[in-house]
Amino acid sequence: MTKNIKDLPRHQDDRGIIQMLMESCEVGSVSGISTEANNGRASHYHKNDEHTIFVTNGQVDIYERPAGSDSRPVLTTLRAGDVHRTAKMVEHYMWMPEATTFFCFSKLPRDSDSYEEDTVRFSHDLKIIFQDQV
């Protein structure tokens, strides 16, 4: 599910703004990720973990479909201010057509051993599969 922060609860007074990014959540790790233009990330799914990203600048084109599926991936384009959750067992590939920064809030810890144990990489390119089926 994708939301923009302007649609999430906020409190504003003469001191400034408190902007909700996530509610009722478990967070085992928070990562800040910066990517140069025309680069991809992910090409995997998580067996047990799920994560929410908050884009602070740039653009993320995220392609997703159920793990092991032959269905057409769903493309969601995210821009600054967008918040997007990817559930466990969902193949995902992220393409950044411009320099982009986002934060990734993961349910489980992201130390190297935990991450590798939970991550299943795939060799197919969800971006190409999506474009081939347009």
Side-chain angles (χ1 to χ4, degrees):
M1 175 189 324
T2 302
K3 294 183 179 182
N4 190 281
I5 60 169
K6 71 178 185 285
D7 300 323
L8 296 172
R10 69 186 290 171
H11 172 77
Q12 184 170 354
D13 61 23
D14 58 349
R15 298 170 293 172
I17 298 170
I18 298 173
Q19 175 64 62
M20 186 65 63
L21 296 178
M22 298 169 52
E23 292 184 298
S24 303
C25 56
E26 297 176 44
V27 177
S29 175
V30 178
S31 304
I33 300 171
S34 296
T35 300
E36 297 300 321
N38 299 312
N39 278 289
R41 292 189 174 273
S43 292
H44 60 243
Y45 66 89
H46 304 284
K47 295 180 277 188
N48 297 299
D49 201 6
E50 54 189 51
H51 51 73
T52 299
I53 64 169
F54 168 55
V55 181
T56 55
N57 73 289
Q59 177 179 322
V60 177
D61 292 335
I62 185 165
Y63 299 83
E64 298 175 298
R65 70 178 180 187
S69 171
D70 289 331
S71 65
R72 180 176 187 245
V74 173
L75 168 61
T76 304
T77 296
L78 309 170
R79 300 191 186 281
D82 286 336
V83 178
H84 181 82
R85 179 180 169 272
T86 299
K88 65 182 180 180
M89 300 301 292
V90 173
E91 294 182 353
H92 51 283
Y93 173 75
M94 303 163 81
W95 175 255
M96 280 63 66
E98 57 189 76
T100 300
T101 303
F102 61 92
F103 289 91
C104 181
F105 302 85
S106 301
K107 183 177 179 180
L108 299 176
R110 287 286 178 110
D111 61 275
S112 184
D113 289 341
S114 298
Y115 181 82
E116 291 303 323
E117 183 178 314
D118 187 60
T119 301
V120 178
R121 290 178 175 74
F122 51 81
S123 59
H124 51 273
D125 188 329
L126 292 181
K127 183 179 175 199
I128 291 173
I129 292 169
F130 178 88
Q131 291 170 339
D132 288 346
Q133 296 177 357
V134 173

mmCIF file with all atom_site columns, all heavy atoms in Angstrom, residues 5-27:
data_model
loop_
_atom_site.group_PDB
_atom_site.id
_atom_site.type_symbol
_atom_site.label_atom_id
_atom_site.label_alt_id
_atom_site.label_comp_id
_atom_site.label_asym_id
_atom_site.label_entity_id
_atom_site.label_seq_id
_atom_site.pdbx_PDB_ins_code
_atom_site.Cartn_x
_atom_site.Cartn_y
_atom_site.Cartn_z
_atom_site.occupancy
_atom_site.B_iso_or_equiv
_atom_site.pdbx_formal_charge
_atom_site.auth_seq_id
_atom_site.auth_comp_id
_atom_site.auth_asym_id
_atom_site.auth_atom_id
_atom_site.pdbx_PDB_model_num
ATOM 1   N N   . ILE A 1 5  ? 2.850  11.228 2.745  1.00 0.00 ? 5  ILE A N   1
ATOM 2   C CA  . ILE A 1 5  ? 2.832  11.696 4.128  1.00 0.00 ? 5  ILE A CA  1
ATOM 3   C C   . ILE A 1 5  ? 1.765  12.762 4.354  1.00 0.00 ? 5  ILE A C   1
ATOM 4   O O   . ILE A 1 5  ? 1.262  12.880 5.456  1.00 0.00 ? 5  ILE A O   1
ATOM 5   C CB  . ILE A 1 5  ? 4.209  12.193 4.616  1.00 0.00 ? 5  ILE A CB  1
ATOM 6   C CG1 . ILE A 1 5  ? 4.723  13.354 3.784  1.00 0.00 ? 5  ILE A CG1 1
ATOM 7   C CG2 . ILE A 1 5  ? 5.204  11.067 4.646  1.00 0.00 ? 5  ILE A CG2 1
ATOM 8   C CD1 . ILE A 1 5  ? 5.940  14.030 4.390  1.00 0.00 ? 5  ILE A CD1 1
ATOM 9   N N   . LYS A 1 6  ? 1.377  13.480 3.318  1.00 0.00 ? 6  LYS A N   1
ATOM 10  C CA  . LYS A 1 6  ? 0.342  14.489 3.517  1.00 0.00 ? 6  LYS A CA  1
ATOM 11  C C   . LYS A 1 6  ? -1.007 13.858 3.888  1.00 0.00 ? 6  LYS A C   1
ATOM 12  O O   . LYS A 1 6  ? -1.878 14.509 4.428  1.00 0.00 ? 6  LYS A O   1
ATOM 13  C CB  . LYS A 1 6  ? 0.201  15.386 2.285  1.00 0.00 ? 6  LYS A CB  1
ATOM 14  C CG  . LYS A 1 6  ? -0.412 14.719 1.072  1.00 0.00 ? 6  LYS A CG  1
ATOM 15  C CD  . LYS A 1 6  ? -0.555 15.711 -0.087 1.00 0.00 ? 6  LYS A CD  1
ATOM 16  C CE  . LYS A 1 6  ? -1.266 15.135 -1.244 1.00 0.00 ? 6  LYS A CE  1
ATOM 17  N NZ  . LYS A 1 6  ? -0.561 14.214 -2.077 1.00 0.00 ? 6  LYS A NZ  1
ATOM 18  N N   . ASP A 1 7  ? -1.156 12.553 3.615  1.00 0.00 ? 7  ASP A N   1
ATOM 19  C CA  . ASP A 1 7  ? -2.390 11.839 3.946  1.00 0.00 ? 7  ASP A CA  1
ATOM 20  C C   . ASP A 1 7  ? -2.327 11.155 5.313  1.00 0.00 ? 7  ASP A C   1
ATOM 21  O O   . ASP A 1 7  ? -3.311 10.547 5.735  1.00 0.00 ? 7  ASP A O   1
ATOM 22  C CB  . ASP A 1 7  ? -2.684 10.784 2.873  1.00 0.00 ? 7  ASP A CB  1
ATOM 23  C CG  . ASP A 1 7  ? -2.864 11.415 1.494  1.00 0.00 ? 7  ASP A CG  1
ATOM 24  O OD1 . ASP A 1 7  ? -3.441 12.513 1.407  1.00 0.00 ? 7  ASP A OD1 1
ATOM 25  O OD2 . ASP A 1 7  ? -2.404 10.808 0.513  1.00 0.00 ? 7  ASP A OD2 1
ATOM 26  N N   . LEU A 1 8  ? -1.182 11.224 5.981  1.00 0.00 ? 8  LEU A N   1
ATOM 27  C CA  . LEU A 1 8  ? -1.012 10.605 7.293  1.00 0.00 ? 8  LEU A CA  1
ATOM 28  C C   . LEU A 1 8  ? -1.202 11.655 8.385  1.00 0.00 ? 8  LEU A C   1
ATOM 29  O O   . LEU A 1 8  ? -1.043 12.851 8.137  1.00 0.00 ? 8  LEU A O   1
ATOM 30  C CB  . LEU A 1 8  ? 0.372  9.963  7.390  1.00 0.00 ? 8  LEU A CB  1
ATOM 31  C CG  . LEU A 1 8  ? 0.625  8.812  6.417  1.00 0.00 ? 8  LEU A CG  1
ATOM 32  C CD1 . LEU A 1 8  ? 2.092  8.400  6.472  1.00 0.00 ? 8  LEU A CD1 1
ATOM 33  C CD2 . LEU A 1 8  ? -0.269 7.627  6.744  1.00 0.00 ? 8  LEU A CD2 1
ATOM 34  N N   . PRO A 1 9  ? -1.530 11.216 9.604  1.00 0.00 ? 9  PRO A N   1
ATOM 35  C CA  . PRO A 1 9  ? -1.768 12.181 10.683 1.00 0.00 ? 9  PRO A CA  1
ATOM 36  C C   . PRO A 1 9  ? -0.566 13.084 10.926 1.00 0.00 ? 9  PRO A C   1
ATOM 37  O O   . PRO A 1 9  ? 0.586  12.663 10.811 1.00 0.00 ? 9  PRO A O   1
ATOM 38  C CB  . PRO A 1 9  ? -2.019 11.275 11.898 1.00 0.00 ? 9  PRO A CB  1
ATOM 39  C CG  . PRO A 1 9  ? -2.408 9.954  11.344 1.00 0.00 ? 9  PRO A CG  1
ATOM 40  C CD  . PRO A 1 9  ? -1.711 9.832  10.029 1.00 0.00 ? 9  PRO A CD  1
ATOM 41  N N   . ARG A 1 10 ? -0.876 14.331 11.271 1.00 0.00 ? 10 ARG A N   1
ATOM 42  C CA  . ARG A 1 10 ? 0.177  15.281 11.618 1.00 0.00 ? 10 ARG A CA  1
ATOM 43  C C   . ARG A 1 10 ? -0.357 16.254 12.651 1.00 0.00 ? 10 ARG A C   1
ATOM 44  O O   . ARG A 1 10 ? -1.557 16.470 12.756 1.00 0.00 ? 10 ARG A O   1
ATOM 45  C CB  . ARG A 1 10 ? 0.700  16.005 10.385 1.00 0.00 ? 10 ARG A CB  1
ATOM 46  C CG  . ARG A 1 10 ? -0.288 16.969 9.757  1.00 0.00 ? 10 ARG A CG  1
ATOM 47  C CD  . ARG A 1 10 ? 0.177  17.576 8.469  1.00 0.00 ? 10 ARG A CD  1
ATOM 48  N NE  . ARG A 1 10 ? 1.263  18.495 8.698  1.00 0.00 ? 10 ARG A NE  1
ATOM 49  C CZ  . ARG A 1 10 ? 1.991  19.057 7.740  1.00 0.00 ? 10 ARG A CZ  1
ATOM 50  N NH1 . ARG A 1 10 ? 1.758  18.770 6.476  1.00 0.00 ? 10 ARG A NH1 1
ATOM 51  N NH2 . ARG A 1 10 ? 2.955  19.880 8.017  1.00 0.00 ? 10 ARG A NH2 1
ATOM 52  N N   . HIS A 1 11 ? 0.552  16.811 13.401 1.00 0.00 ? 11 HIS A N   1
ATOM 53  C CA  . HIS A 1 11 ? 0.198  17.831 14.389 1.00 0.00 ? 11 HIS A CA  1
ATOM 54  C C   . HIS A 1 11 ? 1.073  19.045 14.125 1.00 0.00 ? 11 HIS A C   1
ATOM 55  O O   . HIS A 1 11 ? 2.287  18.925 13.968 1.00 0.00 ? 11 HIS A O   1
ATOM 56  C CB  . HIS A 1 11 ? 0.420  17.321 15.818 1.00 0.00 ? 11 HIS A CB  1
ATOM 57  C CG  . HIS A 1 11 ? 0.249  18.381 16.836 1.00 0.00 ? 11 HIS A CG  1
ATOM 58  N ND1 . HIS A 1 11 ? -0.995 18.826 17.236 1.00 0.00 ? 11 HIS A ND1 1
ATOM 59  C CD2 . HIS A 1 11 ? 1.155  19.120 17.504 1.00 0.00 ? 11 HIS A CD2 1
ATOM 60  C CE1 . HIS A 1 11 ? -0.844 19.791 18.127 1.00 0.00 ? 11 HIS A CE1 1
ATOM 61  N NE2 . HIS A 1 11 ? 0.448  19.988 18.310 1.00 0.00 ? 11 HIS A NE2 1
ATOM 62  N N   . GLN A 1 12 ? 0.433  20.190 14.034 1.00 0.00 ? 12 GLN A N   1
ATOM 63  C CA  . GLN A 1 12 ? 1.182  21.423 13.792 1.00 0.00 ? 12 GLN A CA  1
ATOM 64  C C   . GLN A 1 12 ? 0.756  22.458 14.810 1.00 0.00 ? 12 GLN A C   1
ATOM 65  O O   . GLN A 1 12 ? -0.434 22.639 15.088 1.00 0.00 ? 12 GLN A O   1
ATOM 66  C CB  . GLN A 1 12 ? 0.920  21.934 12.379 1.00 0.00 ? 12 GLN A CB  1
ATOM 67  C CG  . GLN A 1 12 ? 1.744  23.154 12.019 1.00 0.00 ? 12 GLN A CG  1
ATOM 68  C CD  . GLN A 1 12 ? 1.662  23.511 10.540 1.00 0.00 ? 12 GLN A CD  1
ATOM 69  O OE1 . GLN A 1 12 ? 1.072  22.783 9.740  1.00 0.00 ? 12 GLN A OE1 1
ATOM 70  N NE2 . GLN A 1 12 ? 2.270  24.619 10.181 1.00 0.00 ? 12 GLN A NE2 1
ATOM 71  N N   . ASP A 1 13 ? 1.742  23.124 15.404 1.00 0.00 ? 13 ASP A N   1
ATOM 72  C CA  . ASP A 1 13 ? 1.474  24.254 16.281 1.00 0.00 ? 13 ASP A CA  1
ATOM 73  C C   . ASP A 1 13 ? 2.587  25.275 16.076 1.00 0.00 ? 13 ASP A C   1
ATOM 74  O O   . ASP A 1 13 ? 3.376  25.153 15.139 1.00 0.00 ? 13 ASP A O   1
ATOM 75  C CB  . ASP A 1 13 ? 1.314  23.812 17.748 1.00 0.00 ? 13 ASP A CB  1
ATOM 76  C CG  . ASP A 1 13 ? 2.551  23.133 18.331 1.00 0.00 ? 13 ASP A CG  1
ATOM 77  O OD1 . ASP A 1 13 ? 3.674  23.358 17.812 1.00 0.00 ? 13 ASP A OD1 1
ATOM 78  O OD2 . ASP A 1 13 ? 2.401  22.376 19.311 1.00 0.00 ? 13 ASP A OD2 1
ATOM 79  N N   . ASP A 1 14 ? 2.670  26.266 16.946 1.00 0.00 ? 14 ASP A N   1
ATOM 80  C CA  . ASP A 1 14 ? 3.648  27.338 16.737 1.00 0.00 ? 14 ASP A CA  1
ATOM 81  C C   . ASP A 1 14 ? 5.098  26.867 16.895 1.00 0.00 ? 14 ASP A C   1
ATOM 82  O O   . ASP A 1 14 ? 6.022  27.577 16.507 1.00 0.00 ? 14 ASP A O   1
ATOM 83  C CB  . ASP A 1 14 ? 3.363  28.521 17.656 1.00 0.00 ? 14 ASP A CB  1
ATOM 84  C CG  . ASP A 1 14 ? 3.367  28.168 19.129 1.00 0.00 ? 14 ASP A CG  1
ATOM 85  O OD1 . ASP A 1 14 ? 3.390  26.963 19.472 1.00 0.00 ? 14 ASP A OD1 1
ATOM 86  O OD2 . ASP A 1 14 ? 3.346  29.101 19.957 1.00 0.00 ? 14 ASP A OD2 1
ATOM 87  N N   . ARG A 1 15 ? 5.314  25.666 17.402 1.00 0.00 ? 15 ARG A N   1
ATOM 88  C CA  . ARG A 1 15 ? 6.669  25.135 17.529 1.00 0.00 ? 15 ARG A CA  1
ATOM 89  C C   . ARG A 1 15 ? 7.136  24.428 16.270 1.00 0.00 ? 15 ARG A C   1
ATOM 90  O O   . ARG A 1 15 ? 8.318  24.217 16.065 1.00 0.00 ? 15 ARG A O   1
ATOM 91  C CB  . ARG A 1 15 ? 6.747  24.156 18.702 1.00 0.00 ? 15 ARG A CB  1
ATOM 92  C CG  . ARG A 1 15 ? 6.443  24.806 20.047 1.00 0.00 ? 15 ARG A CG  1
ATOM 93  C CD  . ARG A 1 15 ? 6.287  23.760 21.111 1.00 0.00 ? 15 ARG A CD  1
ATOM 94  N NE  . ARG A 1 15 ? 5.072  22.985 20.817 1.00 0.00 ? 15 ARG A NE  1
ATOM 95  C CZ  . ARG A 1 15 ? 4.710  21.888 21.472 1.00 0.00 ? 15 ARG A CZ  1
ATOM 96  N NH1 . ARG A 1 15 ? 5.465  21.407 22.424 1.00 0.00 ? 15 ARG A NH1 1
ATOM 97  N NH2 . ARG A 1 15 ? 3.592  21.260 21.166 1.00 0.00 ? 15 ARG A NH2 1
ATOM 98  N N   . GLY A 1 16 ? 6.181  23.976 15.417 1.00 0.00 ? 16 GLY A N   1
ATOM 99  C CA  . GLY A 1 16 ? 6.542  23.248 14.215 1.00 0.00 ? 16 GLY A CA  1
ATOM 100 C C   . GLY A 1 16 ? 5.554  22.132 13.924 1.00 0.00 ? 16 GLY A C   1
ATOM 101 O O   . GLY A 1 16 ? 4.386  22.210 14.296 1.00 0.00 ? 16 GLY A O   1
ATOM 102 N N   . ILE A 1 17 ? 6.040  21.064 13.291 1.00 0.00 ? 17 ILE A N   1
ATOM 103 C CA  . ILE A 1 17 ? 5.189  19.980 12.816 1.00 0.00 ? 17 ILE A CA  1
ATOM 104 C C   . ILE A 1 17 ? 5.716  18.644 13.323 1.00 0.00 ? 17 ILE A C   1
ATOM 105 O O   . ILE A 1 17 ? 6.925  18.393 13.297 1.00 0.00 ? 17 ILE A O   1
ATOM 106 C CB  . ILE A 1 17 ? 5.159  19.947 11.268 1.00 0.00 ? 17 ILE A CB  1
ATOM 107 C CG1 . ILE A 1 17 ? 4.581  21.242 10.714 1.00 0.00 ? 17 ILE A CG1 1
ATOM 108 C CG2 . ILE A 1 17 ? 4.391  18.739 10.749 1.00 0.00 ? 17 ILE A CG2 1
ATOM 109 C CD1 . ILE A 1 17 ? 4.738  21.381 9.207  1.00 0.00 ? 17 ILE A CD1 1
ATOM 110 N N   . ILE A 1 18 ? 4.807  17.775 13.740 1.00 0.00 ? 18 ILE A N   1
ATOM 111 C CA  . ILE A 1 18 ? 5.103  16.370 13.989 1.00 0.00 ? 18 ILE A CA  1
ATOM 112 C C   . ILE A 1 18 ? 4.359  15.594 12.920 1.00 0.00 ? 18 ILE A C   1
ATOM 113 O O   . ILE A 1 18 ? 3.126  15.640 12.850 1.00 0.00 ? 18 ILE A O   1
ATOM 114 C CB  . ILE A 1 18 ? 4.647  15.916 15.389 1.00 0.00 ? 18 ILE A CB  1
ATOM 115 C CG1 . ILE A 1 18 ? 5.388  16.696 16.473 1.00 0.00 ? 18 ILE A CG1 1
ATOM 116 C CG2 . ILE A 1 18 ? 4.857  14.400 15.543 1.00 0.00 ? 18 ILE A CG2 1
ATOM 117 C CD1 . ILE A 1 18 ? 4.888  16.425 17.882 1.00 0.00 ? 18 ILE A CD1 1
ATOM 118 N N   . GLN A 1 19 ? 5.098  14.929 12.052 1.00 0.00 ? 19 GLN A N   1
ATOM 119 C CA  . GLN A 1 19 ? 4.510  14.206 10.922 1.00 0.00 ? 19 GLN A CA  1
ATOM 120 C C   . GLN A 1 19 ? 4.624  12.708 11.144 1.00 0.00 ? 19 GLN A C   1
ATOM 121 O O   . GLN A 1 19 ? 5.726  12.189 11.289 1.00 0.00 ? 19 GLN A O   1
ATOM 122 C CB  . GLN A 1 19 ? 5.225  14.581 9.618  1.00 0.00 ? 19 GLN A CB  1
ATOM 123 C CG  . GLN A 1 19 ? 4.772  13.796 8.411  1.00 0.00 ? 19 GLN A CG  1
ATOM 124 C CD  . GLN A 1 19 ? 3.317  14.061 8.063  1.00 0.00 ? 19 GLN A CD  1
ATOM 125 O OE1 . GLN A 1 19 ? 2.953  15.181 7.751  1.00 0.00 ? 19 GLN A OE1 1
ATOM 126 N NE2 . GLN A 1 19 ? 2.497  13.035 8.127  1.00 0.00 ? 19 GLN A NE2 1
ATOM 127 N N   . MET A 1 20 ? 3.496  12.009 11.178 1.00 0.00 ? 20 MET A N   1
ATOM 128 C CA  . MET A 1 20 ? 3.496  10.552 11.318 1.00 0.00 ? 20 MET A CA  1
ATOM 129 C C   . MET A 1 20 ? 3.973  9.917  10.010 1.00 0.00 ? 20 MET A C   1
ATOM 130 O O   . MET A 1 20 ? 3.523  10.300 8.927  1.00 0.00 ? 20 MET A O   1
ATOM 131 C CB  . MET A 1 20 ? 2.084  10.068 11.636 1.00 0.00 ? 20 MET A CB  1
ATOM 132 C CG  . MET A 1 20 ? 2.001  8.594  11.941 1.00 0.00 ? 20 MET A CG  1
ATOM 133 S SD  . MET A 1 20 ? 2.871  8.110  13.443 1.00 0.00 ? 20 MET A SD  1
ATOM 134 C CE  . MET A 1 20 ? 1.954  9.033  14.667 1.00 0.00 ? 20 MET A CE  1
ATOM 135 N N   . LEU A 1 21 ? 4.897  8.963  10.109 1.00 0.00 ? 21 LEU A N   1
ATOM 136 C CA  . LEU A 1 21 ? 5.350  8.197  8.952  1.00 0.00 ? 21 LEU A CA  1
ATOM 137 C C   . LEU A 1 21 ? 4.781  6.785  8.984  1.00 0.00 ? 21 LEU A C   1
ATOM 138 O O   . LEU A 1 21 ? 4.447  6.222  7.956  1.00 0.00 ? 21 LEU A O   1
ATOM 139 C CB  . LEU A 1 21 ? 6.876  8.108  8.909  1.00 0.00 ? 21 LEU A CB  1
ATOM 140 C CG  . LEU A 1 21 ? 7.641  9.407  8.725  1.00 0.00 ? 21 LEU A CG  1
ATOM 141 C CD1 . LEU A 1 21 ? 9.134  9.141  8.744  1.00 0.00 ? 21 LEU A CD1 1
ATOM 142 C CD2 . LEU A 1 21 ? 7.225  10.085 7.441  1.00 0.00 ? 21 LEU A CD2 1
ATOM 143 N N   . MET A 1 22 ? 4.712  6.200  10.179 1.00 0.00 ? 22 MET A N   1
ATOM 144 C CA  . MET A 1 22 ? 4.217  4.837  10.347 1.00 0.00 ? 22 MET A CA  1
ATOM 145 C C   . MET A 1 22 ? 3.486  4.764  11.684 1.00 0.00 ? 22 MET A C   1
ATOM 146 O O   . MET A 1 22 ? 3.863  5.445  12.625 1.00 0.00 ? 22 MET A O   1
ATOM 147 C CB  . MET A 1 22 ? 5.385  3.842  10.354 1.00 0.00 ? 22 MET A CB  1
ATOM 148 C CG  . MET A 1 22 ? 6.178  3.810  9.072  1.00 0.00 ? 22 MET A CG  1
ATOM 149 S SD  . MET A 1 22 ? 7.738  2.874  9.196  1.00 0.00 ? 22 MET A SD  1
ATOM 150 C CE  . MET A 1 22 ? 7.235  1.321  9.858  1.00 0.00 ? 22 MET A CE  1
ATOM 151 N N   . GLU A 1 23 ? 2.462  3.906  11.752 1.00 0.00 ? 23 GLU A N   1
ATOM 152 C CA  . GLU A 1 23 ? 1.739  3.701  12.997 1.00 0.00 ? 23 GLU A CA  1
ATOM 153 C C   . GLU A 1 23 ? 1.641  2.211  13.285 1.00 0.00 ? 23 GLU A C   1
ATOM 154 O O   . GLU A 1 23 ? 1.644  1.389  12.361 1.00 0.00 ? 23 GLU A O   1
ATOM 155 C CB  . GLU A 1 23 ? 0.316  4.253  12.886 1.00 0.00 ? 23 GLU A CB  1
ATOM 156 C CG  . GLU A 1 23 ? 0.243  5.760  12.785 1.00 0.00 ? 23 GLU A CG  1
ATOM 157 C CD  . GLU A 1 23 ? -1.195 6.242  12.770 1.00 0.00 ? 23 GLU A CD  1
ATOM 158 O OE1 . GLU A 1 23 ? -1.931 5.865  11.823 1.00 0.00 ? 23 GLU A OE1 1
ATOM 159 O OE2 . GLU A 1 23 ? -1.573 6.973  13.685 1.00 0.00 ? 23 GLU A OE2 1
ATOM 160 N N   . SER A 1 24 ? 1.520  1.853  14.567 1.00 0.00 ? 24 SER A N   1
ATOM 161 C CA  . SER A 1 24 ? 1.290  0.470  14.987 1.00 0.00 ? 24 SER A CA  1
ATOM 162 C C   . SER A 1 24 ? 2.229  -0.494 14.272 1.00 0.00 ? 24 SER A C   1
ATOM 163 O O   . SER A 1 24 ? 1.806  -1.390 13.549 1.00 0.00 ? 24 SER A O   1
ATOM 164 C CB  . SER A 1 24 ? -0.165 0.074  14.720 1.00 0.00 ? 24 SER A CB  1
ATOM 165 O OG  . SER A 1 24 ? -1.030 0.951  15.385 1.00 0.00 ? 24 SER A OG  1
ATOM 166 N N   . CYS A 1 25 ? 3.519  -0.299 14.454 1.00 0.00 ? 25 CYS A N   1
ATOM 167 C CA  . CYS A 1 25 ? 4.474  -1.094 13.693 1.00 0.00 ? 25 CYS A CA  1
ATOM 168 C C   . CYS A 1 25 ? 5.591  -1.617 14.582 1.00 0.00 ? 25 CYS A C   1
ATOM 169 O O   . CYS A 1 25 ? 5.859  -1.074 15.645 1.00 0.00 ? 25 CYS A O   1
ATOM 170 C CB  . CYS A 1 25 ? 5.055  -0.264 12.558 1.00 0.00 ? 25 CYS A CB  1
ATOM 171 S SG  . CYS A 1 25 ? 5.815  1.259  13.131 1.00 0.00 ? 25 CYS A SG  1
ATOM 172 N N   . GLU A 1 26 ? 6.200  -2.678 14.112 1.00 0.00 ? 26 GLU A N   1
ATOM 173 C CA  . GLU A 1 26 ? 7.409  -3.213 14.727 1.00 0.00 ? 26 GLU A CA  1
ATOM 174 C C   . GLU A 1 26 ? 8.573  -2.838 13.824 1.00 0.00 ? 26 GLU A C   1
ATOM 175 O O   . GLU A 1 26 ? 8.499  -3.032 12.613 1.00 0.00 ? 26 GLU A O   1
ATOM 176 C CB  . GLU A 1 26 ? 7.336  -4.737 14.812 1.00 0.00 ? 26 GLU A CB  1
ATOM 177 C CG  . GLU A 1 26 ? 6.211  -5.261 15.678 1.00 0.00 ? 26 GLU A CG  1
ATOM 178 C CD  . GLU A 1 26 ? 6.150  -6.770 15.631 1.00 0.00 ? 26 GLU A CD  1
ATOM 179 O OE1 . GLU A 1 26 ? 7.212  -7.428 15.718 1.00 0.00 ? 26 GLU A OE1 1
ATOM 180 O OE2 . GLU A 1 26 ? 5.042  -7.284 15.494 1.00 0.00 ? 26 GLU A OE2 1
ATOM 181 N N   . VAL A 1 27 ? 9.629  -2.291 14.401 1.00 0.00 ? 27 VAL A N   1
ATOM 182 C CA  . VAL A 1 27 ? 10.792 -1.910 13.601 1.00 0.00 ? 27 VAL A CA  1
ATOM 183 C C   . VAL A 1 27 ? 12.035 -2.534 14.209 1.00 0.00 ? 27 VAL A C   1
ATOM 184 O O   . VAL A 1 27 ? 12.373 -2.270 15.359 1.00 0.00 ? 27 VAL A O   1
ATOM 185 C CB  . VAL A 1 27 ? 10.943 -0.369 13.519 1.00 0.00 ? 27 VAL A CB  1
ATOM 186 C CG1 . VAL A 1 27 ? 12.191 0.010  12.739 1.00 0.00 ? 27 VAL A CG1 1
ATOM 187 C CG2 . VAL A 1 27 ? 9.706  0.255  12.897 1.00 0.00 ? 27 VAL A CG2 1
#
